[in-house]
Amino acid sequence: MLLIQCPYCGPRPELEFAYAGQAHVARPADPSATTPDQWTEFLYLRNNTRGIHAERWRHVRGCARFFNALRDTTTDHFLATYRAGEPMPVLPMGQKP
Amino acid sequence: MRKFSGWTLLKEAFGGQQGWTPQWRRVAPQPEYDAIIIGGGGHGLAAAYYLASEHGITRTAVLEKGWIGGGNTGRNTTIIRSNYLFDESAALYDHALKLWEGLSQVLNYNVMFSPRGVMMLAHTVHDVQVAKRHIHANRGNGVDNEWLSPEEAKAYCPPLNIERNIRYPVLGAALQRRGGTARHDAVAWGYARAADALGVDIIENCEVTGLVRDGSGAMEAVQTSRGLIRCRRVGVSAAGNTSVVLGLAGVRLPLESFPLQALVSEPVKPVVPCVVMSGSIHAYISQSDKGELVIGAGTDAYTSYTQRGALHVNSHTLSAVCELFPAFRRMRMLRNWGGIVDVTPDRSPIIARTPVPGLYVNCGWGTGGFKATPGSGHLLAWTMARDEPHPINAPFTIERFRDGHLIDEAAAAAVAH
Ligand SMILES: Cc1cc2nc3c(=O)[nH]c(=O)nc-3n(C[C@H](O)[C@H](O)[C@H](O)COP(=O)(O)OP(=O)(O)OC[C@H]3O[C@@H](n4cnc5c(N)ncnc54)[C@H](O)[C@@H]3O)c2cc1C
Ligand SMILES: [Zn+2]
C-alpha cells in the first residue's frame, strides 16, 4: 500500500484515496470547433508514461479534494504532490514527466 | 522437430530422462527479416507461428526483451472462456476457443487445455439480469452458456457456499462448459517450438529501443539492444508495454497500464473441479493440476510498470473467497505476484494496422487476453501478411475510438477476465 502526501491533510494510506488518471488534460474550450481527432485525444489517448507521470488523485475518504502528483511508474515512488491549479513543481534533479 | 508421443515419454522415462534436448534454437539476430514480432509472450509467439505456417512468411523473428513467456503469459490465471456480450467479441473470443480445442494436436505439444467449465456467479438481481442477457446473446451467437440455479451451481462445484445468510449470497450462475484453463508456460513453449521448426528465429534478451522509418514514413528497421535489424513488416505484441513501444514511432494509443495480481495457495487434493468467477465481489478461483488454488484479484487503482501491487487488493479478494468457500479459510497462500495489463477504455482489444505503414499492433487485452492467445496470434499474422484485417478483427481498430464504434464490454461485462 502506498503512503500518499495529501497537500491538504499530510501523509495518509492509499486506501483513503481514489486514483483519477493523467493530470493536466484540458477539456477543449470550444466544443463545436473541436475535431474528432482532438476529441479522441481528450477522451481516450493517454501518455501512459513509463517513468515520471503527472496524475490526479482524490483524497476521497479524507478532505475529498482533488490534487496532482508526480510519481515514477517504474518504482511507484511519489516525487511530489501539489494542489489543483498550481503549476507542476520543478523536481530537484530536473526530471520531467 | 522431434515428434512427441506417449512412446517418446515412455522411452525417456526408461532412459532416466537424459535424452531431452532444447526444443528451439538459440540464435543471434540476422541483419534482415521479412517480418518481426516485438514481444515473446504467447500472443507474439502465436503470431510468428501462424505467419510461418499459414502465410509462408518463415523469415520471421520474435524479439523478446526478457525471456519468452516471462510477461503476462507466465503470470496469468489462465482462465479461458468466450461468453462475451457483443457479436464482435463473441466472434473474436470463440475463434480463439475453437483453436484451443485442437491446439495440443496442431502443435504436437500438450498445452493442457482443460475445458472444465467456467462458472460466473450472480449475487444480486442486477447480476442475474446481466448474466441472463449474456446467456441469450451468447446462444444467439452460437456460443454455449447456460443458467444454473444455486443448487445446480453447488452440484457443479461442491465446495461453493450457497447459504442465503452471507453478505453476497449466490443467486445463480452462468456456466460455459467449453471454457476452462490451460497451462500458461506450455502455450509459450509449444508455439515457440513449432515456430522454430518452421524457421522462425526466437531471440531473447533483445529489447526493442527504436522504430526506424524511411523517408515515406514507413517501417524500415528496428533498433534493438542487439543491434539494428532491417524489416518492413513489424507487429507489436508487448502487452503492458505497448504504449512505450508504439511511442518509439510517435503513435499514441488509448491504453493505460495497470498492475494485476494473482496468488496461489499451498497444494491440496482436488477440490475445485471448475473455474469459479465473481465479478461483483472481485474474486476468481480454480485449481491447478499441481493442486494449488489459483486466485485472482482486480487491478490496482493506479497505472504502473512495477509488476507488483498493493496487499489490500489481495486481502479484499481473499475475504470474498473465504465467504464463498468457507473450507478454504485456513489455507495458506504460498506466492503472490503481479503483471502489467494494458487496458482500453471499452475493455476490448486492438488488432490492427497503425498510422505507420508496415507497423501493426495487437494490444489492449487488459486483464483477459490469455484466453485469446491462439486467436489473436492467428489474426495478427493474417493482418500483417495481407496488410488488411481478417473479418473477425476488422472492428477492433484504433480508429473505433475516434469514430464512436466502441465495443463496450466494459459497460456490458459484469466481470473483468
Ligand atoms: C495476474 C494476471 C492474471 C490474469 N488472468 C487472466 C486469465 O485468467 N485469463 C485471461 O484470459 N487473461 C488473463 N490475464 C491477461 C493475460 O495474461 C494477458 O492479456 C496476455 O497474457 C497478454 O498476452 P501476451 O502474450 O501478449 O503478453 P506477455 O506475455 O506480457 O508478452 C509481452 C512481451 O513483450 C515483451 N516486451 C515488452 N516490451 C518489449 C520491448 N521493448 N522489446 C522486446 N520485448 C518487449 C515483454 O517482455 C513480454 O514478454 C491475466 C494477467 C495477469 C497479469
Ligand atoms: Zn486531504
Side-chain angles (χ1 to χ4, degrees), chain A residues 6 8-10 17 59 62-65:
Chain A
C6 171
Y8 304 96
C9 313
F17 296 85
H59 192 190
C63 63
R65 280 188 272 199

Side-chain angles (χ1 to χ4, degrees), chain B residues 39 41-43 64-65 72-73 76-77 79 208 367-371:
Chain B
H43 285 221
E64 165 54 50
K65 72 173 174 182
N72 293 345
T73 299
N76 82 96
T77 50
I79 300 172
V208 171
T367 58
F370 178 74
K371 62 176 72 69

Side-chain angles (χ1 to χ4, degrees), chain A residues 1-2 14-15 19 21-22 36-37 40-41 44-50 53 55 57 71 73-76, chain B residues 65 241 243-244 252-258 301-306 308 310-312 345 401-402 406:
Chain A
M1 188 175 316
L2 307 175
E14 179 195 335
L15 274 182
Y19 181 71
Q22 185 182 321
D37 284 322
T40 313
E41 177 66 38
Y44 299 120
L45 302 187
R46 294 293 175 263
N47 296 342
N48 201 18
T49 312
R50 186 184 172 113
H53 188 229
E55 59 195 22
W57 286 84
R71 183 177 53 94
T73 61
T74 64
T75 57
D76 292 340
Chain B
K65 72 173 174 182
N241 282 288
S243 299
V244 180
R252 281 168 68 72
L253 289 171
L255 291 178
E256 288 187 295
S257 295
F258 292 94
Y302 45 85
T303 63
S304 179
Y305 289 85
T306 56
R308 60 172 186 256
L311 190 60
H312 63 88
F401 295 95
R402 181 194 62 202
L406 302 193

Side-chain angles (χ1 to χ4, degrees), chain B residues 75-93:
Chain B
R75 295 162 187 269
N76 82 96
T77 50
T78 75
I79 300 172
I80 297 171
R81 61 184 182 90
S82 65
N83 51 355
Y84 284 73
L85 182 67
F86 294 110
D87 297 353
E88 295 89 342
S89 321
L92 178 68
Y93 290 97

Side-chain angles (χ1 to χ4, degrees), chain B residues 4-5 12 19 34 49 57 65 86 92 127 142 148 185-186 223 228 236 239 250 263 357 363 369 380 393 396 399:
Chain B
F4 289 154
S5 65
E12 291 304 332
D34 292 334
Y49 168 73
I57 304 177
K65 72 173 174 182
F86 294 110
L92 178 68
D127 279 0
L148 302 184
D185 291 331
Q223 189 60 254
L228 187 82
V236 179
L263 60 166
C363 66
L380 177 63
N393 67 307
F396 295 88
E399 292 77 23

Side-chain angles (χ1 to χ4, degrees), chain B residues 10-195:
Chain B
L10 210 61
K11 199 172 144 225
E12 291 304 332
F14 283 117
Q17 311 291 359
Q18 298 301 302
W20 299 108
T21 50
Q23 291 302 306
W24 55 90
R25 297 162 297 135
R26 178 158 297 188
V27 287
Q30 291 169 31
E32 182 167 6
Y33 287 99
D34 292 334
I36 281 180
I37 304 284
I38 301 174
H43 285 221
L45 292 162
Y49 168 73
Y50 293 114
L51 273 172
S53 67
E54 303 232 322
H55 305 283
I57 304 177
T58 53
R59 245 175 34 116
T60 294
V62 178
L63 308 182
E64 165 54 50
K65 72 173 174 182
W67 65 96
I68 60 166
N72 293 345
T73 299
R75 295 162 187 269
N76 82 96
T77 50
T78 75
I79 300 172
I80 297 171
R81 61 184 182 90
S82 65
N83 51 355
Y84 284 73
L85 182 67
F86 294 110
D87 297 353
E88 295 89 342
S89 321
L92 178 68
Y93 290 97
D94 214 49
H95 177 57
L97 185 47
K98 286 185 186 126
L99 290 171
W100 276 115
E101 286 164 352
L103 195 60
S104 293
Q105 283 71 31
V106 169
L107 298 180
N108 179 235
Y109 200 89
N110 189 0
V111 300
M112 296 166 77
F113 173 59
S114 161
R116 55 184 72 179
V118 173
M119 199 165 78
M120 300 167 76
L121 303 177
H123 303 279
T124 61
V125 173
H126 177 72
D127 279 0
V128 173
Q129 289 167 346
V130 169
K132 291 193 172 168
R133 183 179 175 212
H134 274 73
I135 289 169
H136 293 309
N138 290 157
R139 287 194 170 170
N141 278 316
V143 174
D144 75 303
N145 201 358
E146 64 194 85
W147 178 250
L148 302 184
S149 68
E151 292 72 26
E152 288 166 332
K154 185 159 177 72
Y156 198 73
C157 184
L160 183 67
N161 178 9
I162 57 165
E163 298 293 325
R164 297 303 292 254
N165 62 357
I166 61 177
R167 173 110 190 261
Y168 296 102
V170 175
L171 301 187
L175 172 66
Q176 185 177 28
R177 291 182 193 268
R178 284 165 65 230
T181 58
R183 167 104 163 90
H184 47 14
D185 291 331
V187 174
W189 299 337
Y191 272 120
R193 171 173 173 269

